Amino acid sequence: MHLENTCVLSQKALGNYRVLELASERIAPAVRPGQFVHLRVPRLADAVLRRPLSVFRAEADRLALLYKPIGYGTGALTRVQAGDAVSLLGPLGNGFPVALPPDRMPVLVAGGYGVAPLFLLARELPQRGIVFAGTASAKDILCREDFEALGWDYRAATEDGTLGRQGLVTALLDDWMRNRPSNLMPEFYACGPDGMLRAVGERAVVGGWRAWLSLDRHMGCGVGACLACVQRLRRPEGIVWGRVCRDGPVFEAREIVWDEPGETKKEVSR
Amino acid sequence: MKPDLAIEIAGIRMRNPVMVASGTFGYAEEYADVIDLSRLGAIVVKGISLKPWSGNPIPRLVEVPGGLVNAIGLQNPGVEGFIHQHMPFLRTLDTPVLVNIWGRTAQEYAETAARLNDVEGVRGLEINISCPNIKEGGLAFGTNPSAAADVIRAVRARTRLPIIPKLSPNVSDIRVFARVAAEHGADAISLINSYPAMVIDVERRRPALANVTGGLSGPAIHPIAVKLVYEAAQATRLPIIGMGGISTARDALEFIIAGASAVAVGTATFGDPMTALNVIEGIETYLSDHGFSSASELVGALEQ
């Protein structure tokens, strides 16, 4: 983990999303797929917290972050320009496991900007496989050519039907699962909204496969100190709180204890 | 000549008056990669109770202009878990470690204190009678002078370690609590804890925090904290550890000039882990620039 004072190289819009490219000599070379950085939004004096953003691309001396402007901090981040000074803390979190038995086929499921850590993962997995990407509209479909150039089969679903299948990415996944060769053993990797992650996890559990799910959460410190971004996990010793920033953000589907609608409290042993 | 930053508070010698506040620094190992822990004045670890405690449901934290509102709810592994999981690392540090303790009854505070008595590496206890985020204990003790007295007396009876009650800002007269602490055997006091607060998500018409209410911390509470430290310093000769919204050396200097012997950096560490170290440097520069030979000379140096 490093605290790096660096600068913005570029920022550009990509559909509803933004790609922020930063110089980084210390963090970029150390990043593993699924890890994130905690970024201090420049000139946002009244915001006391950093913003956690997934690493989308990492090279020797630079990294790219993909984000969607959704609130006060990420909204202000859209005004950041090349040359602006930025403070980064990272790389943070556990990341996706990249070791994969040769008989498994990686199946990546991305919801919206959840494609960011999966793109980094796609370059490092030992086998190529298939990517299912779901977004609101065709203009938000990202990295299709990049995935294909790496040898991945890329399938898109859009909510408005402007590209690929209309509807949810999980419906697209279900169609493929029904028609896949019976000897194919999938290993799932997913990043996106909770509803999508939960649906992918349920399919994996039912089929007896593994699903590595990356959770997107508001965070405080980002290093495991403040205990704000906790998630209930099923562990041998019982139901425990895991820290999404430090113990995650990637958890295997069987570990995650999802909240039920309307539920307010569930016992956690510690 | 370089000014002397070293201080002694409640019998604990510190290389400078800048500590990190309980609940914002975990058990220190979380920040060990990015800051040199040996430069801190002291470390106050997250609140520990007699038994493991799961804390509040999520969401537990929301950012607001100039601060954040949290309702973590004192999640911790209990005193035994703390000793086994975290003390092995903490006792390797040459920075004094203070343990923040809390309980649901005065008895639980006292038993937790007693358990920590002979634990190598624990240099003092901060007694949390001011957490706004749990139903029993915490603030219930910190807003009632006789309940506060019961806790402080019970802990005093069971420990040889220095004890430092942490006071709530949510009282009508802080001087009463400062005097109660002095009368019942405290070695110092620390203030302030976070200020009770609430945020509503208007789109969903629900509280932003699962606990409904939480505690406000960050720059927004700094002037409130300075006023309370100033008042407490008028009421007691106990050393004071001032905290609440420090993000720069000037913020820390205000506490010292108001009468605090030491300060603690809290929420600002989340935004910039280097804050405490920058505050130390800034205090040193200030002392040099203004002709003070030591940090202790500045304590209570308010001109009126």
Side-chain angles (χ1 to χ4, degrees), chain A residues 193-231:
Chain A
D194 275 13
M196 187 205 88
L197 296 179
R198 189 170 178 170
V200 172
E202 284 167 359
R203 282 152 181 77
V205 171
V206 167
W209 303 298
R210 286 187 301 191
W212 303 99
L213 311 177
S214 178
L215 303 179
D216 186 15
R217 292 288 184 273
H218 290 289
M219 290 179 183
C221 66
V223 300
C226 75
L227 307 181
C229 65
V230 293
Q231 169 66 43

Side-chain angles (χ1 to χ4, degrees), chain B residues 169-303:
Chain B
N170 193 30
V171 294
S172 52
D173 190 349
I174 197 77
R175 295 170 297 185
V176 171
F177 291 86
R179 288 189 199 111
V180 161
E183 282 162 23
H184 295 279
D187 300 281
I189 51 175
S190 63
L191 64 154
I192 59 176
N193 208 318
S194 58
Y195 201 92
M198 179 170 176
V199 178
I200 293 171
D201 175 345
V202 296
E203 291 302 322
R204 296 162 61 238
R205 294 180 295 283
R206 287 171 191 269
L209 297 171
N211 190 53
V212 182
T213 61
L216 175 64
S217 64
I221 68 167
H222 178 256
I224 296 172
V226 171
K227 182 240 188 198
L228 292 170
V229 164
Y230 169 69
E231 288 179 348
Q234 310 303 306
T236 181
R237 303 183 65 131
L238 287 180
I240 294 172
I241 303 167
M243 64 192 77
I246 295 177
S247 47
T248 66
R250 302 197 80 80
D251 299 332
L253 288 161
E254 285 193 50
F255 282 119
I256 296 170
I257 294 166
S261 301
V263 297
V265 173
T267 297
T269 298
F270 299 159
D272 182 1
M274 300 302 286
T275 304
L277 302 186
N278 292 338
V279 167
I280 294 165
E281 283 180 19
I283 290 173
E284 185 167 5
T285 303
Y286 176 92
L287 293 173
S288 298
D289 290 353
H290 292 77
F292 290 95
S293 60
S294 72
S296 47
E297 256 179 68
L298 191 65
V299 175
L302 184 70
E303 308 273 351

Side-chain angles (χ1 to χ4, degrees), chain A residues 135-141 156-167:
Chain A
T135 61
S137 185
K139 67 179 189 300
D140 301 327
I141 287 289
T158 52
E159 285 167 32
D160 65 2
T162 47
L163 186 76
R165 181 191 165 119
Q166 180 169 10

Side-chain angles (χ1 to χ4, degrees), chain B residues 118-147:
Chain B
D118 297 314
V119 174
E120 186 197 338
V122 176
R123 299 288 304 281
L125 304 178
E126 183 176 59
I127 309 174
N128 185 354
I129 51 170
S130 44
C131 178
N133 294 327
I134 49 170
K135 287 188 184 70
E136 309 159 271
L139 199 51
F141 294 108
T143 53
N144 175 335
S146 70

Side-chain angles (χ1 to χ4, degrees), chain B residues 2-65:
Chain B
K2 277 198 161 203
D4 180 13
L5 291 184
I7 59 147
E8 188 175 308
I9 193 165
I12 306 163
R13 182 106 181 128
M14 301 180 196
R15 62 177 65 83
N16 63 61
V18 181
M19 311 165 57
V20 283
S22 179
T24 62
F25 210 70
Y27 304 101
E29 57 205 90
E30 295 88 342
Y31 279 108
D33 279 359
V34 287
I35 84 163
D36 181 356
L37 301 174
S38 72
R39 290 178 58 198
L40 297 170
I43 292 166
V44 189
V45 298
K46 186 156 176 65
I48 299 297
S49 50
L50 189 58
K51 300 290 178 205
W53 188 252
S54 64
N56 287 327
I58 49 174
R60 289 176 166 187
L61 179 141
V62 59
E63 191 181 47
V64 295

Side-chain angles (χ1 to χ4, degrees), chain A residues 3 12 20 68 80 85 92 108 149-150 164 166 190 210 245 248 257:
Chain A
L3 185 61
K12 51 179 181 280
L20 188 65
K68 184 178 185 182
V80 168
L92 300 175
L108 315 188
L150 289 172
Q166 180 169 10
R210 286 187 301 191
C245 65
V257 181

